Amino acid sequence: QVQVVESGGGLVQPGGSLRLSCAASGNIFSVNAMRWHRQAPGKERELVAGITSDGITNYADSLKGRFTISRGNAKNTVYLQMNSLKPEDTAVYYCNVLQWSGTYWGQGTPVTVSS
């Protein structure tokens, strides 16, 4: 089994920042990539950012410059630094892990951007 746990969500004012964390554990052997997705109320889940095992990153075009994905010092940990947050960034943020045995999702961490 693979466990994926997200943390760091919460309530933040517009213009503020949050850093989300994602940690994968269990039967992790060779991770190909880790990604952040989000799902806003009434909308489909969308890709936010991803990072490969080689450190190559990709972002949703609309989020470039405000969001940054990075790997932590601990193995199989990634972060999502979110700056200049807007109300439209309100969503549940999910992390997933891609490895040879499949794709594994966490339960998500909610982010609310509101004054």
Side-chain angles (χ1 to χ4, degrees):
Q1 280 188 328
V2 174
Q3 294 80 41
V4 181
V5 179
E6 306 97 334
S7 62
L11 173 64
V12 62
Q13 292 187 342
S17 298
L18 277 178
R19 189 176 81 155
L20 306 183
S21 301
C22 172
S25 61
N27 292 333
I28 297 288
F29 299 106
S30 179
V31 173
N32 296 323
M34 295 181 72
R35 298 172 180 166
W36 285 99
H37 291 71
R38 69 183 183 183
Q39 187 165 18
K43 295 188 177 181
E44 293 188 354
R45 193 171 296 189
E46 62 176 353
L47 176 68
V48 173
I51 186 165
T52 70
S53 58
D54 296 330
I56 298 171
T57 59
N58 68 289
Y59 297 89
D61 287 341
S62 61
L63 300 176
K64 287 179 181 177
R66 293 196 299 123
F67 288 16
T68 303
I69 189 170
S70 61
R71 292 187 295 191
N73 291 330
K75 196 174 182 181
N76 300 322
T77 300
V78 294
Y79 301 105
L80 184 69
Q81 178 68 40
M82 306 186 295
N83 298 327
S84 302
L85 284 163
K86 305 174 181 180
E88 51 264 41
D89 294 318
T90 295
V92 178
Y93 284 71
Y94 298 91
C95 177
N96 75 359
V97 176
L98 289 74
Q99 69 165 10
W100 66 272
S101 60
T103 300
Y104 304 90
W105 291 85
Q107 293 299 307
T109 184
V111 172
T112 302
V113 184
S114 175
S115 55

